[in-house]
Short mmCIF file of all heavy atoms in Angstrom, two decimals:
data_model
loop_
_atom_site.label_atom_id
_atom_site.label_comp_id
_atom_site.label_asym_id
_atom_site.label_seq_id
_atom_site.Cartn_x
_atom_site.Cartn_y
_atom_site.Cartn_z
N THR A 133 0.86 -1.21 -0.01
CA THR A 133 0.00 -0.06 0.02
C THR A 133 0.83 1.22 -0.02
O THR A 133 1.85 1.41 0.77
CB THR A 133 -0.91 0.05 1.24
OG1 THR A 133 -1.66 -1.17 1.35
CG2 THR A 133 -1.89 1.20 1.22
N PRO A 134 0.62 2.23 -0.94
CA PRO A 134 1.35 3.40 -0.94
C PRO A 134 1.19 4.23 0.39
O PRO A 134 0.35 4.11 1.10
CB PRO A 134 0.85 4.17 -2.11
CG PRO A 134 0.21 3.19 -2.98
CD PRO A 134 -0.40 2.13 -1.98
N ALA A 135 2.20 5.18 0.63
CA ALA A 135 2.08 6.07 1.78
C ALA A 135 0.89 6.91 1.64
O ALA A 135 0.40 7.18 0.40
CB ALA A 135 3.32 6.90 1.82
N THR A 136 0.30 7.35 2.73
CA THR A 136 -0.91 8.23 2.60
C THR A 136 -0.71 9.68 2.41
O THR A 136 -1.62 10.38 2.09
CB THR A 136 -1.71 7.93 3.93
OG1 THR A 136 -0.96 8.36 5.11
CG2 THR A 136 -2.17 6.56 4.08
N ARG A 137 0.57 10.17 2.66
CA ARG A 137 0.81 11.52 2.47
C ARG A 137 2.28 11.73 1.98
O ARG A 137 3.09 10.84 2.15
CB ARG A 137 0.58 12.41 3.69
CG ARG A 137 1.50 11.99 4.95
CD ARG A 137 1.11 12.97 6.10
NE ARG A 137 2.00 12.67 7.29
CZ ARG A 137 1.93 13.32 8.27
NH1 ARG A 137 1.06 14.39 8.48
NH2 ARG A 137 2.75 13.09 9.31
N ASP A 138 2.45 12.90 1.34
CA ASP A 138 3.75 13.21 0.78
C ASP A 138 4.84 13.51 1.95
O ASP A 138 4.46 14.06 3.02
CB ASP A 138 3.70 14.54 -0.05
CG ASP A 138 2.99 14.25 -1.28
OD1 ASP A 138 2.97 13.14 -1.84
OD2 ASP A 138 2.57 15.34 -1.91
N ALA A 139 6.05 13.17 1.65
CA ALA A 139 7.21 13.67 2.45
C ALA A 139 7.13 15.19 2.24
O ALA A 139 6.65 15.72 1.23
CB ALA A 139 8.50 13.21 1.97
N HIS A 140 7.60 15.93 3.21
CA HIS A 140 7.65 17.45 3.08
C HIS A 140 8.37 17.96 1.87
O HIS A 140 7.81 18.84 1.21
CB HIS A 140 8.33 17.99 4.39
CG HIS A 140 8.13 19.46 4.50
ND1 HIS A 140 9.23 20.40 4.15
CD2 HIS A 140 7.17 20.27 4.97
CE1 HIS A 140 8.80 21.64 4.34
NE2 HIS A 140 7.57 21.66 4.80
N VAL A 141 9.43 17.33 1.46
CA VAL A 141 10.11 17.68 0.24
C VAL A 141 9.28 17.49 -0.92
O VAL A 141 9.22 18.34 -1.82
CB VAL A 141 11.47 16.84 0.08
CG1 VAL A 141 11.96 16.97 -1.25
CG2 VAL A 141 12.51 17.16 1.10
N VAL A 142 8.52 16.38 -0.96
CA VAL A 142 7.65 16.14 -2.13
C VAL A 142 6.47 17.16 -2.18
O VAL A 142 6.09 17.67 -3.20
CB VAL A 142 7.12 14.67 -2.06
CG1 VAL A 142 6.02 14.43 -3.25
CG2 VAL A 142 8.21 13.69 -2.28
N ALA A 143 5.90 17.48 -0.97
CA ALA A 143 4.88 18.50 -0.91
C ALA A 143 5.38 19.84 -1.39
O ALA A 143 4.63 20.53 -2.10
CB ALA A 143 4.38 18.52 0.52
N LYS A 144 6.63 20.17 -1.01
CA LYS A 144 7.21 21.48 -1.49
C LYS A 144 7.35 21.50 -2.98
O LYS A 144 7.11 22.47 -3.63
CB LYS A 144 8.47 21.66 -0.78
CG LYS A 144 8.40 21.94 0.73
CD LYS A 144 8.22 23.30 1.06
CE LYS A 144 9.47 24.13 0.99
NZ LYS A 144 9.37 25.49 1.47
N LEU A 145 7.76 20.31 -3.64
CA LEU A 145 7.91 20.25 -4.97
C LEU A 145 6.63 20.40 -5.65
O LEU A 145 6.45 21.17 -6.69
CB LEU A 145 8.52 18.91 -5.38
CG LEU A 145 10.01 18.70 -5.07
CD1 LEU A 145 10.44 17.25 -5.29
CD2 LEU A 145 10.93 19.66 -5.94
N ARG A 146 5.57 19.78 -5.16
CA ARG A 146 4.22 19.91 -5.82
C ARG A 146 3.73 21.34 -5.65
O ARG A 146 3.22 21.90 -6.69
CB ARG A 146 3.19 18.99 -5.13
CG ARG A 146 3.48 17.51 -5.36
CD ARG A 146 2.29 16.69 -4.91
NE ARG A 146 2.61 15.30 -4.62
CZ ARG A 146 2.64 14.27 -5.48
NH1 ARG A 146 2.45 14.57 -6.74
NH2 ARG A 146 2.95 13.13 -5.02
N GLU A 147 3.97 22.01 -4.54
CA GLU A 147 3.52 23.36 -4.34
C GLU A 147 4.28 24.25 -5.43
O GLU A 147 3.70 25.33 -5.81
CB GLU A 147 3.98 23.91 -2.98
CG GLU A 147 3.03 23.25 -1.84
CD GLU A 147 3.50 23.55 -0.43
OE1 GLU A 147 4.52 24.33 -0.31
OE2 GLU A 147 3.01 22.97 0.49
N ALA A 148 5.50 23.98 -5.75
CA ALA A 148 6.28 24.78 -6.65
C ALA A 148 5.90 24.47 -8.12
O ALA A 148 6.46 25.15 -9.01
CB ALA A 148 7.90 24.46 -6.45
N GLY A 149 5.02 23.56 -8.33
CA GLY A 149 4.51 23.27 -9.68
C GLY A 149 5.16 22.16 -10.35
O GLY A 149 4.87 21.85 -11.49
N ALA A 150 6.05 21.44 -9.64
CA ALA A 150 6.83 20.28 -10.41
C ALA A 150 5.86 19.21 -10.61
O ALA A 150 4.85 18.92 -9.94
CB ALA A 150 7.99 19.83 -9.42
N VAL A 151 6.21 18.43 -11.60
CA VAL A 151 5.60 17.12 -11.97
C VAL A 151 6.31 16.01 -11.40
O VAL A 151 7.44 15.70 -11.98
CB VAL A 151 5.32 17.03 -13.47
CG1 VAL A 151 4.57 15.64 -13.79
CG2 VAL A 151 4.52 18.16 -14.02
N ILE A 152 5.85 15.32 -10.39
CA ILE A 152 6.66 14.10 -9.92
C ILE A 152 6.42 13.03 -10.96
O ILE A 152 5.40 12.41 -10.97
CB ILE A 152 6.16 13.71 -8.46
CG1 ILE A 152 6.14 14.99 -7.59
CG2 ILE A 152 7.06 12.62 -7.93
CD1 ILE A 152 7.56 15.52 -7.38
N ILE A 153 7.44 12.66 -11.72
CA ILE A 153 7.18 11.77 -12.88
C ILE A 153 7.47 10.39 -12.44
O ILE A 153 7.02 9.41 -13.11
CB ILE A 153 8.22 12.25 -14.09
CG1 ILE A 153 7.71 11.49 -15.36
CG2 ILE A 153 9.62 11.98 -13.72
CD1 ILE A 153 8.47 12.03 -16.52
N GLY A 154 8.25 10.12 -11.34
CA GLY A 154 8.53 8.75 -10.97
C GLY A 154 9.45 8.56 -9.74
O GLY A 154 9.83 9.61 -9.23
N LYS A 155 9.71 7.36 -9.36
CA LYS A 155 10.55 7.10 -8.24
C LYS A 155 11.77 6.36 -8.77
O LYS A 155 11.69 5.36 -9.55
CB LYS A 155 9.80 6.21 -7.14
CG LYS A 155 8.49 6.75 -6.76
CD LYS A 155 8.60 7.90 -5.80
CE LYS A 155 8.96 7.49 -4.35
NZ LYS A 155 7.87 6.95 -3.61
N THR A 156 12.98 6.61 -8.18
CA THR A 156 14.17 6.04 -8.69
C THR A 156 14.67 4.91 -7.74
O THR A 156 14.42 4.87 -6.55
CB THR A 156 15.35 7.19 -8.75
OG1 THR A 156 15.52 7.79 -7.51
CG2 THR A 156 14.95 8.04 -9.84
N ASN A 157 15.39 3.99 -8.47
CA ASN A 157 15.97 2.84 -7.75
C ASN A 157 17.05 3.45 -6.84
O ASN A 157 17.60 4.51 -6.94
CB ASN A 157 16.64 1.95 -8.73
CG ASN A 157 16.86 0.53 -8.21
OD1 ASN A 157 16.47 0.16 -7.10
ND2 ASN A 157 17.46 -0.36 -9.02
N LEU A 158 17.59 2.62 -5.92
CA LEU A 158 18.54 3.01 -4.95
C LEU A 158 19.27 1.74 -4.44
O LEU A 158 18.85 0.67 -4.58
CB LEU A 158 17.98 3.85 -3.79
CG LEU A 158 17.05 3.06 -2.82
CD1 LEU A 158 16.93 3.80 -1.47
CD2 LEU A 158 15.53 2.84 -3.38
N SER A 159 20.41 2.07 -3.80
CA SER A 159 21.00 0.89 -3.02
C SER A 159 20.08 0.62 -1.93
O SER A 159 19.70 1.50 -1.12
CB SER A 159 22.42 1.40 -2.42
OG SER A 159 23.15 1.87 -3.48
N GLU A 160 19.53 -0.56 -1.80
CA GLU A 160 18.47 -0.96 -0.92
C GLU A 160 18.78 -0.48 0.54
O GLU A 160 19.89 -0.60 1.03
CB GLU A 160 18.27 -2.48 -0.88
CG GLU A 160 17.01 -2.83 -0.08
CD GLU A 160 16.75 -4.35 -0.25
OE1 GLU A 160 16.47 -4.78 -1.26
OE2 GLU A 160 16.78 -5.03 0.91
N TRP A 161 17.76 0.12 1.08
CA TRP A 161 17.81 0.68 2.56
C TRP A 161 18.85 1.70 2.57
O TRP A 161 19.64 1.87 3.56
CB TRP A 161 18.00 -0.44 3.64
CG TRP A 161 16.73 -1.33 3.68
CD1 TRP A 161 16.76 -2.61 3.26
CD2 TRP A 161 15.52 -0.88 4.17
NE1 TRP A 161 15.44 -3.02 3.53
CE2 TRP A 161 14.67 -2.09 4.08
CE3 TRP A 161 14.87 0.21 4.66
CZ2 TRP A 161 13.30 -2.13 4.47
CZ3 TRP A 161 13.64 0.33 5.10
CH2 TRP A 161 12.86 -0.90 4.92
N ALA A 162 19.04 2.51 1.41
CA ALA A 162 20.09 3.53 1.41
C ALA A 162 21.41 3.01 1.79
O ALA A 162 22.20 3.75 2.51
CB ALA A 162 19.60 4.75 2.25
N ASN A 163 21.80 1.89 1.40
CA ASN A 163 23.13 1.37 1.58
C ASN A 163 23.46 1.10 3.01
O ASN A 163 24.63 1.30 3.46
CB ASN A 163 24.17 2.34 0.95
CG ASN A 163 24.55 1.95 -0.46
OD1 ASN A 163 24.26 0.93 -0.91
ND2 ASN A 163 25.36 2.80 -1.10
N PHE A 164 22.46 0.56 3.79
CA PHE A 164 22.84 0.36 5.24
C PHE A 164 22.27 -0.94 5.64
O PHE A 164 21.47 -1.11 6.52
CB PHE A 164 22.19 1.52 6.11
CG PHE A 164 22.87 1.66 7.35
CD1 PHE A 164 24.16 2.16 7.46
CD2 PHE A 164 22.34 1.36 8.59
CE1 PHE A 164 24.84 2.26 8.62
CE2 PHE A 164 22.92 1.43 9.83
CZ PHE A 164 24.25 1.96 9.79
N ARG A 165 22.55 -1.94 4.87
CA ARG A 165 22.22 -3.33 5.15
C ARG A 165 23.33 -4.30 5.26
O ARG A 165 23.33 -5.23 6.16
CB ARG A 165 21.19 -3.81 4.08
CG ARG A 165 20.31 -4.93 4.68
CD ARG A 165 19.46 -5.58 3.53
NE ARG A 165 20.28 -6.74 2.90
CZ ARG A 165 19.82 -7.41 1.83
NH1 ARG A 165 18.67 -7.16 1.20
NH2 ARG A 165 20.58 -8.39 1.40
N SER A 166 24.39 -4.21 4.46
CA SER A 166 25.48 -5.11 4.45
C SER A 166 26.81 -4.52 4.23
O SER A 166 26.82 -3.40 3.53
CB SER A 166 25.24 -6.22 3.41
OG SER A 166 26.37 -7.05 3.24
N THR A 167 27.90 -5.08 4.72
CA THR A 167 29.19 -4.63 4.44
C THR A 167 29.79 -5.08 3.06
O THR A 167 30.82 -4.66 2.66
CB THR A 167 30.21 -5.11 5.51
OG1 THR A 167 30.16 -6.56 5.45
CG2 THR A 167 29.76 -4.65 6.86
N ARG A 168 29.04 -5.89 2.33
CA ARG A 168 29.56 -6.53 1.17
C ARG A 168 28.57 -6.29 -0.03
O ARG A 168 28.37 -7.22 -0.77
CB ARG A 168 29.92 -8.00 1.40
CG ARG A 168 30.67 -8.23 2.62
CD ARG A 168 31.63 -9.49 2.40
NE ARG A 168 32.46 -9.80 3.65
CZ ARG A 168 33.51 -9.12 3.95
NH1 ARG A 168 33.96 -8.11 3.15
NH2 ARG A 168 34.19 -9.38 5.05
N SER A 169 28.06 -5.18 -0.11
CA SER A 169 27.02 -4.88 -1.09
C SER A 169 27.59 -4.35 -2.35
O SER A 169 28.76 -3.97 -2.44
CB SER A 169 26.07 -3.83 -0.45
OG SER A 169 26.78 -2.69 -0.15
N SER A 170 26.69 -4.24 -3.42
CA SER A 170 27.06 -3.53 -4.60
C SER A 170 26.03 -2.38 -4.74
O SER A 170 24.89 -2.49 -4.74
CB SER A 170 26.79 -4.48 -5.83
OG SER A 170 26.90 -3.85 -7.05
N SER A 171 26.60 -1.24 -4.76
CA SER A 171 25.82 0.04 -4.77
C SER A 171 24.92 0.00 -5.98
O SER A 171 25.30 -0.49 -7.07
CB SER A 171 26.72 1.29 -4.91
OG SER A 171 27.42 1.44 -3.66
N GLY A 172 23.69 0.48 -5.83
CA GLY A 172 22.71 0.55 -6.90
C GLY A 172 21.88 -0.65 -7.02
O GLY A 172 21.01 -0.78 -7.91
N TRP A 173 22.10 -1.70 -6.24
CA TRP A 173 21.14 -2.81 -6.30
C TRP A 173 20.15 -2.81 -5.15
O TRP A 173 20.36 -2.37 -4.06
CB TRP A 173 22.04 -4.11 -5.97
CG TRP A 173 21.18 -5.43 -6.11
CD1 TRP A 173 20.96 -6.15 -7.25
CD2 TRP A 173 20.40 -6.07 -5.13
NE1 TRP A 173 20.13 -7.21 -7.09
CE2 TRP A 173 19.84 -7.20 -5.70
CE3 TRP A 173 20.26 -5.88 -3.77
CZ2 TRP A 173 18.98 -8.12 -4.98
CZ3 TRP A 173 19.44 -6.74 -3.04
CH2 TRP A 173 18.87 -7.83 -3.69
N SER A 174 18.89 -3.20 -5.59
CA SER A 174 17.86 -3.36 -4.60
C SER A 174 17.04 -4.59 -4.98
O SER A 174 17.02 -5.04 -6.15
CB SER A 174 16.88 -2.18 -4.65
OG SER A 174 16.06 -2.05 -5.72
N GLY A 175 16.47 -5.21 -3.99
CA GLY A 175 15.62 -6.45 -4.22
C GLY A 175 14.48 -6.08 -5.15
O GLY A 175 14.08 -6.90 -5.99
N ARG A 176 13.94 -4.81 -5.10
CA ARG A 176 12.85 -4.53 -5.86
C ARG A 176 13.19 -4.15 -7.30
O ARG A 176 12.51 -4.52 -8.28
CB ARG A 176 12.09 -3.29 -5.25
CG ARG A 176 10.83 -2.89 -5.90
CD ARG A 176 10.22 -1.62 -5.36
NE ARG A 176 9.08 -1.13 -6.12
CZ ARG A 176 8.57 0.02 -6.12
NH1 ARG A 176 9.12 0.95 -5.35
NH2 ARG A 176 7.69 0.37 -7.02
N GLY A 177 14.33 -3.49 -7.50
CA GLY A 177 14.64 -2.99 -8.82
C GLY A 177 15.81 -3.63 -9.55
O GLY A 177 16.08 -3.36 -10.67
N GLY A 178 16.56 -4.47 -8.80
CA GLY A 178 17.77 -5.05 -9.48
C GLY A 178 18.95 -4.08 -9.44
O GLY A 178 18.91 -3.06 -8.70
N GLN A 179 19.91 -4.22 -10.32
CA GLN A 179 21.05 -3.42 -10.38
C GLN A 179 21.02 -2.19 -11.31
O GLN A 179 20.82 -2.38 -12.52
CB GLN A 179 22.28 -4.24 -10.84
CG GLN A 179 23.58 -3.45 -10.98
CD GLN A 179 24.10 -2.98 -9.60
OE1 GLN A 179 24.24 -3.72 -8.65
NE2 GLN A 179 24.35 -1.72 -9.53
N THR A 180 21.11 -1.03 -10.77
CA THR A 180 21.20 0.19 -11.65
C THR A 180 22.64 0.19 -12.27
O THR A 180 23.65 -0.10 -11.66
CB THR A 180 21.04 1.41 -10.76
OG1 THR A 180 19.80 1.41 -10.05
CG2 THR A 180 21.15 2.68 -11.63
#
């Protein structure tokens, strides 16, 4: 289930008239899961 409200940054972008076109892949959990990871990989999106 998606979040019910915007992060403050996202809300500010919408107020400024920006078009939120999508969400980007990332190193899963913002690179804070393992000491032996590959940056840009996530279980949801694979390897950037």
